[in-house]
Amino acid sequence: MRDSEPVVAQVHCRVEVVVDDPRAVTALAQRRLREADIDWAHEPDTVEEAVAELEANLPLALAGLVDPERLLTDVPGVRFRGAHCWATPS
């Protein structure tokens, strides 16, 4: 391997969190969803339907707030390429 060739790696981690205030989590997720640059005309549901889904689904709301790109913010020579995050109740 030459130094000029980038290496692609997958980083796997499992994080357990304790949610003390589910309403605060869903409220933040709903606010960020409303503020997101989404063309709702091209989505299968409306913003109100999506907001209601977050209200009813804490793991979905929590997963929407996770920012995996921030995990490697200060690591030199590393570019974030993409991720998929999800949450499940324990």
Side-chain angles (χ1 to χ4, degrees):
M1 176 174 60
R2 297 186 319 236
D3 288 339
S4 63
E5 294 180 18
V7 176
V8 176
Q10 292 184 359
V11 176
H12 302 269
C13 63
R14 181 181 179 118
V15 179
E16 184 172 291
V17 299
V18 177
V19 177
D20 292 320
D21 189 348
R23 288 185 183 180
V25 171
T26 55
L28 178 58
Q30 291 170 337
R31 187 175 81 239
R32 288 191 181 170
L33 180 64
R34 288 181 188 282
E35 293 170 352
D37 186 23
I38 298 172
D39 182 359
W40 289 100
H42 292 96
E43 294 296 320
D45 52 2
T46 66
V47 65
E48 293 307 322
E49 291 168 333
V51 163
E53 186 176 0
L54 291 177
E55 179 71 31
N57 190 331
L58 178 62
L60 180 65
L62 183 60
L65 296 173
V66 174
D67 185 359
E69 187 173 356
R70 292 184 65 201
L71 294 172
L72 300 171
T73 299
D74 297 327
V75 179
V78 175
R79 286 178 285 129
F80 182 80
R81 195 160 87 167
H84 177 73
C85 294
W86 64 95
T88 59
S90 307

